[in-house]
Amino acid sequence: MTDGHSTAPSATPVRVFLLDDHEVVRRGVRDLLEAEPDIVVVGEAADAREALARIPATRPDVAVLDVRLGGATGGDHEGVEVCRELRAQMPELACLMLTSFDDDEALFDAIMAGAAGYVLKQIGGSDLVAAVRTVATGRSLLDPRMTSRVMDRIRGPEPVPETPAPGELDRLSPRELEILDLIGLGLTNRQIGERLFLAEKTVKNRVSSILGKLGVGRRIQAAMIAERLREPQQGNPP
């Protein structure tokens, strides 16, 4: 008889990539996963830039991504942005978000970014192994303690920000207006940078500035504003 977490090793090992800015965490997760006969860690990274460069090259089945790079003081869910960009490039990749924080906002954003699962770092070792195997098979996995809260939020409407008055939009530079329009089209920071020939870090800083000037806290709210600004233009005859 087998327990609920063990599975027969597959003929082809599950290939896993690790992103976490803490070396001790990466080493611990690597040791845990590589103790399993059906899992192999093909690479690791300490920051988003390194992960975005190495993951497409190593072609893992699962990317285990730290949600909040930079520790507890990091204001951005940078790991979620990595998930979003990887999923745009590699739709077959399963992203498993790993975090120390019970954070509804991060969980919501991770799901919207296409993450296959979201677990807390307090998870037991055997449960983490089972989570990796679960998402590797194409199934979705969410921490049961958080599922009901985020599902209620997803079912409910996203708070719609007010459309800024024309004078308020004057606070945005022409370049920021371009970036806002591309946010509305669903482009990632990397894709916007490629479109406008800007460094990804420059785009990230510009996006933060745009959110501040528009008085919104989330990227999706800026996208909704961009869509509403586009609607009158779409309705005008050429």
Side-chain angles (χ1 to χ4, degrees), residues 112-148:
M112 299 307 291
Y118 185 106
V119 294
L120 298 177
K121 287 183 180 178
Q122 294 90 325
I123 190 172
S126 59
D127 290 327
L128 179 58
V129 170
V132 168
R133 289 180 177 138
T134 295
V135 299
T137 63
R139 289 178 288 167
S140 179
L141 176 129
L142 292 173
D143 188 307
R145 292 170 293 177
M146 295 185 270
T147 301
S148 60

mmCIF file of all heavy atoms in Angstrom, residues 112-148:
data_model
loop_
_atom_site.group_PDB
_atom_site.id
_atom_site.type_symbol
_atom_site.label_atom_id
_atom_site.label_comp_id
_atom_site.label_asym_id
_atom_site.label_seq_id
_atom_site.Cartn_x
_atom_site.Cartn_y
_atom_site.Cartn_z
ATOM 1 N N MET A 112 -4.466 35.020 -12.086
ATOM 2 C CA MET A 112 -4.695 35.776 -13.306
ATOM 3 C C MET A 112 -3.483 35.711 -14.244
ATOM 4 O O MET A 112 -3.615 35.860 -15.456
ATOM 5 C CB MET A 112 -5.018 37.235 -12.973
ATOM 6 C CG MET A 112 -6.269 37.426 -12.122
ATOM 7 S SD MET A 112 -7.740 36.626 -12.813
ATOM 8 C CE MET A 112 -8.015 37.650 -14.265
ATOM 9 N N ALA A 113 -2.293 35.477 -13.681
ATOM 10 C CA ALA A 113 -1.078 35.363 -14.495
ATOM 11 C C ALA A 113 -0.908 33.962 -15.087
ATOM 12 O O ALA A 113 0.009 33.740 -15.873
ATOM 13 C CB ALA A 113 0.153 35.718 -13.659
ATOM 14 N N GLY A 114 -1.773 33.039 -14.704
ATOM 15 C CA GLY A 114 -1.718 31.696 -15.269
ATOM 16 C C GLY A 114 -0.987 30.674 -14.430
ATOM 17 O O GLY A 114 -0.630 29.598 -14.934
ATOM 18 N N ALA A 115 -0.766 30.967 -13.139
ATOM 19 C CA ALA A 115 -0.089 29.998 -12.284
ATOM 20 C C ALA A 115 -0.931 28.735 -12.121
ATOM 21 O O ALA A 115 -2.158 28.801 -12.053
ATOM 22 C CB ALA A 115 0.200 30.611 -10.916
ATOM 23 N N ALA A 116 -0.260 27.595 -12.051
ATOM 24 C CA ALA A 116 -0.963 26.322 -11.876
ATOM 25 C C ALA A 116 -1.204 26.007 -10.412
ATOM 26 O O ALA A 116 -2.075 25.211 -10.073
ATOM 27 C CB ALA A 116 -0.168 25.195 -12.519
ATOM 28 N N GLY A 117 -0.419 26.624 -9.524
ATOM 29 C CA GLY A 117 -0.574 26.337 -8.104
ATOM 30 C C GLY A 117 0.077 27.406 -7.259
ATOM 31 O O GLY A 117 0.909 28.194 -7.746
ATOM 32 N N TYR A 118 -0.287 27.443 -5.986
ATOM 33 C CA TYR A 118 0.181 28.464 -5.057
ATOM 34 C C TYR A 118 0.211 27.827 -3.680
ATOM 35 O O TYR A 118 -0.830 27.389 -3.172
ATOM 36 C CB TYR A 118 -0.803 29.640 -5.091
ATOM 37 C CG TYR A 118 -0.438 30.859 -4.284
ATOM 38 C CD1 TYR A 118 0.001 32.019 -4.914
ATOM 39 C CD2 TYR A 118 -0.576 30.881 -2.897
ATOM 40 C CE1 TYR A 118 0.292 33.163 -4.187
ATOM 41 C CE2 TYR A 118 -0.274 32.009 -2.162
ATOM 42 C CZ TYR A 118 0.150 33.152 -2.811
ATOM 43 O OH TYR A 118 0.451 34.286 -2.091
ATOM 44 N N VAL A 119 1.413 27.710 -3.104
ATOM 45 C CA VAL A 119 1.526 27.067 -1.793
ATOM 46 C C VAL A 119 2.403 27.910 -0.877
ATOM 47 O O VAL A 119 3.260 28.668 -1.332
ATOM 48 C CB VAL A 119 2.116 25.640 -1.900
ATOM 49 C CG1 VAL A 119 1.161 24.715 -2.642
ATOM 50 C CG2 VAL A 119 3.475 25.659 -2.584
ATOM 51 N N LEU A 120 2.187 27.776 0.414
ATOM 52 C CA LEU A 120 2.980 28.486 1.403
ATOM 53 C C LEU A 120 4.267 27.720 1.701
ATOM 54 O O LEU A 120 4.296 26.485 1.635
ATOM 55 C CB LEU A 120 2.177 28.663 2.693
ATOM 56 C CG LEU A 120 0.887 29.487 2.581
ATOM 57 C CD1 LEU A 120 0.169 29.513 3.928
ATOM 58 C CD2 LEU A 120 1.183 30.895 2.103
ATOM 59 N N LYS A 121 5.332 28.460 2.051
ATOM 60 C CA LYS A 121 6.609 27.820 2.345
ATOM 61 C C LYS A 121 6.542 26.969 3.612
ATOM 62 O O LYS A 121 7.430 26.149 3.858
ATOM 63 C CB LYS A 121 7.712 28.869 2.486
ATOM 64 C CG LYS A 121 8.113 29.484 1.145
ATOM 65 C CD LYS A 121 9.252 30.472 1.294
ATOM 66 C CE LYS A 121 9.641 31.066 -0.049
ATOM 67 N NZ LYS A 121 10.714 32.079 0.062
ATOM 68 N N GLN A 122 5.489 27.146 4.400
ATOM 69 C CA GLN A 122 5.313 26.315 5.587
ATOM 70 C C GLN A 122 4.823 24.908 5.232
ATOM 71 O O GLN A 122 4.658 24.055 6.102
ATOM 72 C CB GLN A 122 4.311 26.970 6.547
ATOM 73 C CG GLN A 122 4.793 28.294 7.146
ATOM 74 C CD GLN A 122 4.410 29.498 6.298
ATOM 75 O OE1 GLN A 122 4.376 29.421 5.085
ATOM 76 N NE2 GLN A 122 4.140 30.625 6.953
ATOM 77 N N ILE A 123 4.585 24.642 3.957
ATOM 78 C CA ILE A 123 4.090 23.348 3.504
ATOM 79 C C ILE A 123 5.095 22.254 3.873
ATOM 80 O O ILE A 123 6.306 22.482 3.913
ATOM 81 C CB ILE A 123 3.861 23.372 1.976
ATOM 82 C CG1 ILE A 123 3.122 22.128 1.493
ATOM 83 C CG2 ILE A 123 5.180 23.515 1.230
ATOM 84 C CD1 ILE A 123 2.710 22.204 0.020
ATOM 85 N N GLY A 124 4.592 21.054 4.160
ATOM 86 C CA GLY A 124 5.467 19.932 4.447
ATOM 87 C C GLY A 124 6.217 19.485 3.203
ATOM 88 O O GLY A 124 5.767 19.695 2.072
ATOM 89 N N GLY A 125 7.372 18.865 3.415
ATOM 90 C CA GLY A 125 8.188 18.439 2.291
ATOM 91 C C GLY A 125 7.477 17.492 1.344
ATOM 92 O O GLY A 125 7.530 17.642 0.122
ATOM 93 N N SER A 126 6.789 16.499 1.891
ATOM 94 C CA SER A 126 6.087 15.541 1.036
ATOM 95 C C SER A 126 4.949 16.208 0.281
ATOM 96 O O SER A 126 4.638 15.825 -0.856
ATOM 97 C CB SER A 126 5.545 14.370 1.874
ATOM 98 O OG SER A 126 4.657 14.838 2.876
ATOM 99 N N ASP A 127 4.322 17.226 0.898
ATOM 100 C CA ASP A 127 3.244 17.949 0.223
ATOM 101 C C ASP A 127 3.785 18.784 -0.935
ATOM 102 O O ASP A 127 3.133 18.929 -1.969
ATOM 103 C CB ASP A 127 2.502 18.852 1.209
ATOM 104 C CG ASP A 127 1.678 18.070 2.222
ATOM 105 O OD1 ASP A 127 1.166 16.993 1.853
ATOM 106 O OD2 ASP A 127 1.567 18.520 3.369
ATOM 107 N N LEU A 128 4.975 19.376 -0.766
ATOM 108 C CA LEU A 128 5.573 20.147 -1.851
ATOM 109 C C LEU A 128 5.922 19.235 -3.026
ATOM 110 O O LEU A 128 5.684 19.575 -4.188
ATOM 111 C CB LEU A 128 6.816 20.885 -1.367
ATOM 112 C CG LEU A 128 7.548 21.718 -2.438
ATOM 113 C CD1 LEU A 128 6.630 22.761 -3.046
ATOM 114 C CD2 LEU A 128 8.796 22.369 -1.838
ATOM 115 N N VAL A 129 6.483 18.069 -2.732
ATOM 116 C CA VAL A 129 6.792 17.102 -3.787
ATOM 117 C C VAL A 129 5.512 16.721 -4.527
ATOM 118 O O VAL A 129 5.476 16.672 -5.767
ATOM 119 C CB VAL A 129 7.476 15.853 -3.207
ATOM 120 C CG1 VAL A 129 7.571 14.751 -4.255
ATOM 121 C CG2 VAL A 129 8.858 16.205 -2.672
ATOM 122 N N ALA A 130 4.442 16.465 -3.768
ATOM 123 C CA ALA A 130 3.163 16.099 -4.386
ATOM 124 C C ALA A 130 2.630 17.252 -5.235
ATOM 125 O O ALA A 130 2.053 17.022 -6.304
ATOM 126 C CB ALA A 130 2.149 15.730 -3.299
ATOM 127 N N ALA A 131 2.826 18.504 -4.781
ATOM 128 C CA ALA A 131 2.361 19.661 -5.535
ATOM 129 C C ALA A 131 3.085 19.768 -6.872
ATOM 130 O O ALA A 131 2.481 20.054 -7.912
ATOM 131 C CB ALA A 131 2.558 20.932 -4.718
ATOM 132 N N VAL A 132 4.404 19.547 -6.859
ATOM 133 C CA VAL A 132 5.184 19.584 -8.101
ATOM 134 C C VAL A 132 4.682 18.516 -9.064
ATOM 135 O O VAL A 132 4.485 18.774 -10.260
ATOM 136 C CB VAL A 132 6.689 19.394 -7.803
ATOM 137 C CG1 VAL A 132 7.461 19.130 -9.092
ATOM 138 C CG2 VAL A 132 7.244 20.621 -7.087
ATOM 139 N N ARG A 133 4.456 17.320 -8.554
ATOM 140 C CA ARG A 133 3.958 16.248 -9.424
ATOM 141 C C ARG A 133 2.562 16.577 -9.961
ATOM 142 O O ARG A 133 2.243 16.292 -11.120
ATOM 143 C CB ARG A 133 3.915 14.933 -8.649
ATOM 144 C CG ARG A 133 5.290 14.340 -8.341
ATOM 145 C CD ARG A 133 5.164 13.041 -7.575
ATOM 146 N NE ARG A 133 6.454 12.425 -7.335
ATOM 147 C CZ ARG A 133 6.803 11.860 -6.188
ATOM 148 N NH1 ARG A 133 5.947 11.823 -5.176
ATOM 149 N NH2 ARG A 133 7.997 11.321 -6.051
ATOM 150 N N THR A 134 1.738 17.180 -9.130
ATOM 151 C CA THR A 134 0.370 17.507 -9.551
ATOM 152 C C THR A 134 0.366 18.498 -10.704
ATOM 153 O O THR A 134 -0.285 18.281 -11.730
ATOM 154 C CB THR A 134 -0.430 18.089 -8.367
ATOM 155 O OG1 THR A 134 -0.573 17.094 -7.355
ATOM 156 C CG2 THR A 134 -1.817 18.534 -8.815
ATOM 157 N N VAL A 135 1.088 19.617 -10.561
ATOM 158 C CA VAL A 135 1.067 20.618 -11.632
ATOM 159 C C VAL A 135 1.803 20.124 -12.870
ATOM 160 O O VAL A 135 1.507 20.540 -13.993
ATOM 161 C CB VAL A 135 1.639 21.978 -11.155
ATOM 162 C CG1 VAL A 135 0.803 22.525 -10.004
ATOM 163 C CG2 VAL A 135 3.106 21.881 -10.760
ATOM 164 N N ALA A 136 2.764 19.204 -12.692
ATOM 165 C CA ALA A 136 3.490 18.656 -13.843
ATOM 166 C C ALA A 136 2.574 17.857 -14.756
ATOM 167 O O ALA A 136 2.826 17.749 -15.959
ATOM 168 C CB ALA A 136 4.652 17.780 -13.370
ATOM 169 N N THR A 137 1.491 17.315 -14.200
ATOM 170 C CA THR A 137 0.544 16.531 -15.002
ATOM 171 C C THR A 137 -0.505 17.402 -15.669
ATOM 172 O O THR A 137 -1.400 16.889 -16.342
ATOM 173 C CB THR A 137 -0.176 15.487 -14.126
ATOM 174 O OG1 THR A 137 -0.956 16.156 -13.126
ATOM 175 C CG2 THR A 137 0.819 14.548 -13.468
ATOM 176 N N GLY A 138 -0.402 18.727 -15.468
ATOM 177 C CA GLY A 138 -1.360 19.630 -16.091
ATOM 178 C C GLY A 138 -2.549 19.970 -15.220
ATOM 179 O O GLY A 138 -3.440 20.712 -15.646
ATOM 180 N N ARG A 139 -2.561 19.447 -13.992
ATOM 181 C CA ARG A 139 -3.670 19.760 -13.085
ATOM 182 C C ARG A 139 -3.374 21.032 -12.305
ATOM 183 O O ARG A 139 -2.232 21.418 -12.117
ATOM 184 C CB ARG A 139 -3.901 18.598 -12.114
ATOM 185 C CG ARG A 139 -4.510 17.365 -12.780
ATOM 186 C CD ARG A 139 -4.667 16.228 -11.776
ATOM 187 N NE ARG A 139 -3.372 15.655 -11.423
ATOM 188 C CZ ARG A 139 -3.175 14.829 -10.404
ATOM 189 N NH1 ARG A 139 -4.199 14.508 -9.613
ATOM 190 N NH2 ARG A 139 -1.981 14.327 -10.161
ATOM 191 N N SER A 140 -4.437 21.702 -11.860
ATOM 192 C CA SER A 140 -4.301 22.929 -11.082
ATOM 193 C C SER A 140 -4.312 22.592 -9.599
ATOM 194 O O SER A 140 -4.985 21.651 -9.167
ATOM 195 C CB SER A 140 -5.451 23.884 -11.411
ATOM 196 O OG SER A 140 -5.349 25.061 -10.642
ATOM 197 N N LEU A 141 -3.543 23.349 -8.835
ATOM 198 C CA LEU A 141 -3.466 23.103 -7.400
ATOM 199 C C LEU A 141 -3.443 24.434 -6.653
ATOM 200 O O LEU A 141 -2.629 25.297 -6.949
ATOM 201 C CB LEU A 141 -2.214 22.296 -7.072
ATOM 202 C CG LEU A 141 -1.961 22.056 -5.583
ATOM 203 C CD1 LEU A 141 -1.714 20.590 -5.315
ATOM 204 C CD2 LEU A 141 -0.752 22.873 -5.135
ATOM 205 N N LEU A 142 -4.344 24.577 -5.710
ATOM 206 C CA LEU A 142 -4.375 25.761 -4.862
ATOM 207 C C LEU A 142 -4.399 25.318 -3.410
ATOM 208 O O LEU A 142 -4.960 24.280 -3.075
ATOM 209 C CB LEU A 142 -5.620 26.617 -5.143
ATOM 210 C CG LEU A 142 -5.693 27.305 -6.507
ATOM 211 C CD1 LEU A 142 -7.053 27.953 -6.670
ATOM 212 C CD2 LEU A 142 -4.596 28.346 -6.638
ATOM 213 N N ASP A 143 -3.766 26.102 -2.549
ATOM 214 C CA ASP A 143 -3.808 25.821 -1.118
ATOM 215 C C ASP A 143 -5.269 25.881 -0.660
ATOM 216 O O ASP A 143 -5.930 26.897 -0.835
ATOM 217 C CB ASP A 143 -2.975 26.868 -0.367
ATOM 218 C CG ASP A 143 -2.817 26.508 1.104
ATOM 219 O OD1 ASP A 143 -3.843 26.273 1.772
ATOM 220 O OD2 ASP A 143 -1.674 26.487 1.577
ATOM 221 N N PRO A 144 -5.822 24.794 -0.080
ATOM 222 C CA PRO A 144 -7.241 24.762 0.285
ATOM 223 C C PRO A 144 -7.649 25.898 1.214
ATOM 224 O O PRO A 144 -8.793 26.357 1.172
ATOM 225 C CB PRO A 144 -7.398 23.397 0.972
ATOM 226 C CG PRO A 144 -6.265 22.580 0.475
ATOM 227 C CD PRO A 144 -5.131 23.540 0.244
ATOM 228 N N ARG A 145 -6.726 26.379 2.064
ATOM 229 C CA ARG A 145 -7.083 27.433 3.023
ATOM 230 C C ARG A 145 -7.342 28.764 2.334
ATOM 231 O O ARG A 145 -7.952 29.655 2.900
ATOM 232 C CB ARG A 145 -5.959 27.589 4.048
ATOM 233 C CG ARG A 145 -5.788 26.408 4.984
ATOM 234 C CD ARG A 145 -4.517 26.515 5.793
ATOM 235 N NE ARG A 145 -3.327 26.403 4.944
ATOM 236 C CZ ARG A 145 -2.088 26.523 5.408
ATOM 237 N NH1 ARG A 145 -1.880 26.773 6.674
ATOM 238 N NH2 ARG A 145 -1.060 26.388 4.588
ATOM 239 N N MET A 146 -6.851 28.911 1.100
ATOM 240 C CA MET A 146 -7.012 30.187 0.417
ATOM 241 C C MET A 146 -7.977 30.124 -0.761
ATOM 242 O O MET A 146 -8.413 31.143 -1.265
ATOM 243 C CB MET A 146 -5.650 30.681 -0.070
ATOM 244 C CG MET A 146 -4.690 31.006 1.047
ATOM 245 S SD MET A 146 -3.161 31.706 0.433
ATOM 246 C CE MET A 146 -2.192 30.235 0.202
ATOM 247 N N THR A 147 -8.323 28.915 -1.181
ATOM 248 C CA THR A 147 -9.114 28.764 -2.394
ATOM 249 C C THR A 147 -10.451 29.494 -2.318
ATOM 250 O O THR A 147 -10.824 30.221 -3.240
ATOM 251 C CB THR A 147 -9.375 27.271 -2.672
ATOM 252 O OG1 THR A 147 -8.122 26.601 -2.800
ATOM 253 C CG2 THR A 147 -10.182 27.098 -3.942
ATOM 254 N N SER A 148 -11.190 29.301 -1.224
ATOM 255 C CA SER A 148 -12.532 29.876 -1.149
ATOM 256 C C SER A 148 -12.490 31.405 -1.197
ATOM 257 O O SER A 148 -13.323 32.034 -1.838
ATOM 258 C CB SER A 148 -13.250 29.408 0.122
ATOM 259 O OG SER A 148 -12.531 29.811 1.276
#
